Amino acid sequence: MFDATLLLLICLLPLAGALLVSVLGARSAGMARAAALVTMLAVLALAAHIFVGYAAARSGAFDLNLPWIAELGVHLHLAVDGLNLYLLLLTALLFPVALGCAWPSAEARRPLFLALLLLLEAGLLGTFLSQNLMFFFVCWEAVLIPMFVLILVFGGAKSREAAQAFFLYTLAGSVLLLAAVILLGVQCWQQTGSWSFELATLLDLQLGWGTQLFVFAAIVLACAIKCPLVPFHSWLPLTYAEAPPAGTALMAGALSKMGAFALLKLAIPLCPQAAAALAPWLIALAVFSILYGAVLALRQADFKLLVAYSSLSHMGYIVLGIFSFQQSALHGALLQTFSHGLAVAGLFLALGLLEQRRGAAYRQLTALATLAPRLAVVLMLFVLTSVALPLTSGFTGEFMILFGAFQQALAGWKAELGVLPLAAVILACSGMVLGAGYMLRFARTLLFGQAPEGSALPDLGGREALAFLPLLLLILAIGIAPAPFMARVQPDVAAVTARAAVPPFEKGGPGGISLRPAEANPPQSPFAKGGLEQLAAILGMSFPRQDNGESHAR
């Protein structure tokens, strides 16, 4: 019971911290800032405890279910599983890191800024931990308000336009998500005679093809806006450029992961047949996002916009891994979600430090390696993670995504079911080359060159180095030894692939793919199990065997 109570505590602490900051802000800005940081560190300590103890915990240990509106089947149901474990730690980590980097800034002395950060953290944690679809939607929406106010009040010269674009796009996606939630509730009432929005109950429903198609499309569109994917990314450049540095880091590092999480948690398990039929289209969209984001990043002179478009490209890899329906690719998607959150947040926060020191003139900065060598080293480590250098988490995630996606495409090609999926994976590989091009050009422009005579720039301080340290340690830990991280989530990854239970390809349609429901007991890909076993052998790890493909997910 104590472990389950931790989940309630981890969501309530930021809310209590926001109230405390509002009270203390009237007396002392310094006390309010310290209270916000202590609250965030307490949440991080709890999240780290859960992350470390999850593998050894008994089934259902981290599971809290309290009735909220029992007549309608709405519960405050929080639980930790393999799909949200990384995101729990990532969210809890990024907030104190962001506040630590923004510590001397003017907005960090404002109680409103601190309270908004804490409210945003509570909403994100609720979204990732929720096991009740209606409560999930409430938290999904709750994230929108504090981020909108952060951009509007603390953003740049075009903050009003950026906040409006962010709000309208996200709200449009939320309307679609709400429609899917209500439809699932109605289906539950029709099939069981009672209302319920519990995910475990909804997964047992027998949804018709039309219902699956609508629910899947609604969830995917909401997620495509949140990630974002092309062509639903129009809000991204202006919003990332105008938001305060801490807000941009949290938006790219944590908020964008809500979309990928919902695809794994909701779209595929609830609508497996629709997911199977539409997966090739989503893979094509993911590959297009990879290349489109990379090409736009190559054209950017503004550092912030370059990192923003690189984020668009990297989110495409995550979606590619999700819809490859391979255990190795799903592991890669989860690791890349974690890795990208660490790296992109680190890049935006490092650029934020330069903006604190130089103002808008940081865009013309060169020779950072000469002026501030410690900051240059940290920035370069995040750049190398973004280009997927071996022994960094970026390489582990992208390699596993492409490994699984290639095996799935190769299975279809060998079965003479079309070459387009294989061509799509090869194109996705070319995105890594483009990524190396724009990120290394970014590093060359910013880090090297001739420093103007008499110019000076404060180097990375102890507080800032301490803030970046956990990000870098996790990047290296995942890159060097990914097996312990993967073992924690293996049962739930197996559960997703078992739930999908779809053949890699079916004849008909574009590239040999059919837009129709899959068979009741479809054949498995010849690589479905072997791929992960081969990869496990490479990594020197082993997973417990499961009878008949059944998962022992928590």
Side-chain angles (χ1 to χ4, degrees):
M1 183 62 185
F2 174 72
D3 289 338
T5 307
L6 289 180
L7 300 180
L8 185 61
L9 187 61
I10 210 171
C11 290
L12 290 180
L13 267 177
L15 297 176
L19 181 61
L20 180 62
V21 162
S22 302
V23 173
L24 292 176
R27 302 179 182 179
S28 168
M31 289 177 61
R33 188 172 52 176
L37 182 60
V38 168
T39 302
M40 293 175 183
L41 290 174
V43 172
L44 175 58
L46 293 175
H49 169 76
I50 293 172
F51 186 85
V52 172
Y54 177 75
R58 67 186 187 279
S59 178
F62 297 108
D63 192 324
L64 179 70
N65 193 349
L66 301 174
W68 184 16
I69 310 174
E71 295 79 5
L72 295 178
V74 181
H75 290 226
L76 200 162
H77 188 180
L78 305 171
V80 178
D81 55 43
L83 302 182
N84 62 23
L85 185 63
Y86 293 162
L87 293 169
L88 172 65
L89 182 62
L90 176 67
T91 302
L93 176 59
L94 289 185
F95 277 85
V97 170
L99 181 56
C101 290
W103 194 260
S105 63
E107 60 262 22
R109 299 186 180 94
R110 299 272 300 275
L112 176 61
F113 179 82
L114 301 170
L116 290 171
L117 286 183
L118 289 164
L119 291 174
L120 182 63
E121 183 176 24
L124 279 167
L125 291 170
T127 301
F128 294 138
L129 294 173
S130 177
Q131 305 296 317
N132 184 281
L133 197 53
M134 186 59 75
F135 183 64
F136 172 89
F137 176 77
V138 170
C139 295
W140 178 284
E141 281 301 282
V143 169
L144 173 62
I145 299 171
M147 181 53 73
F148 170 76
V149 180
L150 271 173
I151 299 168
L152 183 65
V153 177
F154 301 101
K158 297 181 179 178
S159 60
R160 183 179 295 273
E161 293 90 335
Q164 185 178 35
F166 171 76
F167 185 85
L168 291 177
Y169 268 86
T170 309
L171 185 63
S174 298
V175 171
L176 294 170
L177 181 60
L178 178 60
V181 171
I182 294 174
L183 178 57
L184 287 168
V186 171
Q187 287 287 318
C188 184
W189 178 75
Q190 290 177 346
Q191 295 185 30
T192 67
S194 61
W195 289 94
S196 179
F197 292 94
E198 287 290 293
L199 280 173
T201 302
L202 298 178
L203 289 174
D204 291 333
L205 298 179
Q206 300 299 317
L207 300 180
W209 171 243
T211 302
Q212 278 202 34
L213 194 59
F214 176 82
V215 171
F216 182 79
I219 294 174
V220 166
L221 286 172
C223 296
I225 293 171
K226 189 72 76 173
C227 283
L229 292 176
V230 178
F232 308 100
H233 70 291
S234 301
W235 61 270
L236 179 142
L238 183 62
T239 305
Y240 277 26
E242 294 300 320
T248 305
L250 294 172
M251 207 172 346
L255 266 72
S256 65
K257 307 306 176 287
M258 293 168 62
F261 172 73
L263 290 174
L264 272 172
K265 186 74 174 180
L266 305 180
I268 295 175
L270 289 171
C271 312
Q273 292 181 330
L278 295 174
W281 298 92
L282 289 166
I283 287 175
L285 189 63
V287 172
F288 185 69
S289 293
I290 291 169
L291 300 177
Y292 184 83
V295 170
L296 287 182
L298 277 170
R299 295 169 56 87
Q300 299 305 314
D302 185 288
F303 299 146
K304 245 187 175 182
L305 287 177
L306 185 148
V307 177
Y309 283 117
S310 78
S311 178
L312 175 66
S313 181
H314 282 93
M315 290 305 298
Y317 282 107
I318 295 172
V319 176
L320 172 64
I322 290 172
F323 286 100
S324 294
F325 299 129
Q326 276 277 346
Q327 287 196 34
S328 51
L330 285 176
H331 272 296
L334 286 172
L335 286 174
Q336 182 66 2
T337 299
F338 195 17
S339 171
H340 177 257
L342 298 171
V344 76
L347 285 170
F348 276 122
L349 290 173
L351 292 177
L353 293 181
L354 295 177
E355 192 173 0
Q356 287 178 20
R357 288 157 165 76
R358 282 288 181 90
Y362 86 97
R363 294 180 175 87
Q364 286 76 48
L365 185 65
T366 59
L368 183 64
T370 301
L371 299 173
R374 291 192 297 273
L375 182 54
V377 168
V378 169
L379 188 65
M380 192 63 196
L381 287 173
F382 289 127
V383 167
L384 294 176
T385 303
S386 295
V387 302
L389 183 77
L391 300 183
T392 67
S393 58
F395 174 79
T396 304
E398 291 190 14
F399 170 75
M400 293 182 68
I401 288 170
L402 295 172
F403 180 86
F406 181 78
Q407 285 205 320
Q408 193 77 333
L410 188 61
W413 179 68
K414 286 187 174 181
E416 299 181 355
L417 298 176
V419 72
L420 288 183
L422 187 59
V425 177
I426 294 172
L427 285 173
C429 294
S430 69
M432 298 182 69
V433 179
L434 294 173
Y438 62 71
M439 291 305 295
L440 293 178
R441 179 177 63 84
F442 160 65
R444 183 190 63 189
T445 303
L446 180 58
L447 301 185
F448 305 106
Q450 186 67 36
E453 188 174 346
S455 61
L457 185 74
D459 205 350
L460 196 70
R463 168 184 46 78
E464 296 158 342
L466 188 62
F468 284 124
L469 182 62
L471 303 184
L472 296 174
L473 289 178
L474 280 170
I475 284 171
L476 293 175
I478 296 172
I480 295 171
F485 293 87
M486 294 170 61
R488 281 179 165 82
V489 304
Q490 165 58 19
D492 296 275
V493 168
V496 172
T497 53
R499 178 74 183 178
V502 295
F505 302 101
E506 294 180 4
K507 290 186 178 180
I513 293 115
S514 172
L515 185 60
R516 61 180 177 85
E519 301 170 14
N521 296 295
Q524 292 293 322
S525 162
F527 293 94
K529 295 182 180 178
L532 186 62
E533 292 171 358
Q534 294 170 23
L535 185 61
I538 294 172
L539 297 173
M541 63 186 293
S542 62
F543 295 124
R545 292 187 176 274
Q546 300 173 20
D547 296 334
N548 301 322
E550 294 180 358
S551 167
H552 57 280
R554 300 174 193 275

